[in-house]
Amino acid sequence: MQNSVTQPLSISWTRPKIKPLLKYIWSKFQVPVLNKQLTSAEIIQRLELAVNLQIPVKLQMNQSFYSETTSEYYGQLHQTVAGDLYIYLLNKRQPLLINPALIRYLILESN
């Protein structure tokens, strides 16, 4: 004689609907991890090293001057002749213009 384990019908149809809803709600209440704000001297020193040595960097920057919403990027920094600063995103293979005044944290990645 075989015994079979059955799940109650009331749980089986609600679980696939509730789990994505809970995941969505949880993502809205998560607080992003903010790295320690570096001083301007430290940021300038690290920017010079990253541009001159072409070392990949992990960059965290504010999205605007008036908010603490941040974005994180990973790539190589390049500077044009005009002085514009670009980060070449290694995972997306595209350049992105960045404003150095919005940089919050910069770490050099060693290979």
Side-chain angles (χ1 to χ4, degrees), residues 19 30 35 45 50 90:
K19 197 170 183 180
Q30 286 182 335
N35 292 325
Q45 183 181 24
L90 295 177

Side-chain angles (χ1 to χ4, degrees), residues 54-72:
Q54 294 298 313
I55 300 174
V57 296
K58 189 182 295 183
L59 179 71
Q60 186 179 52
M61 57 189 296
N62 293 335
Q63 290 183 354
S64 72
F65 288 110
Y66 306 110
S67 73
E68 285 294 317
T69 308
T70 60
S71 299
E72 289 190 0

Side-chain angles (χ1 to χ4, degrees), residues 5 12 19 74 103:
V5 179
S12 65
K19 197 170 183 180
Y74 177 75
I103 295 175

Side-chain angles (χ1 to χ4, degrees), residues 15-78:
R15 181 171 287 163
K17 294 178 183 177
I18 291 178
K19 197 170 183 180
L21 178 65
L22 290 174
K23 187 175 181 181
Y24 174 76
I25 291 171
W26 178 254
S27 69
K28 293 300 176 186
F29 288 105
Q30 286 182 335
V31 178
V33 177
L34 294 177
N35 292 325
K36 185 187 89 161
Q37 175 75 45
L38 296 177
T39 64
S40 59
E42 290 173 327
I43 291 174
I44 291 170
Q45 183 181 24
R46 291 181 185 190
L47 281 174
E48 287 177 353
L49 280 174
V51 170
N52 291 336
L53 299 177
Q54 294 298 313
I55 300 174
V57 296
K58 189 182 295 183
L59 179 71
Q60 186 179 52
M61 57 189 296
N62 293 335
Q63 290 183 354
S64 72
F65 288 110
Y66 306 110
S67 73
E68 285 294 317
T69 308
T70 60
S71 299
E72 289 190 0
Y73 302 107
Y74 177 75
Q76 288 184 340
L77 290 174
H78 298 281

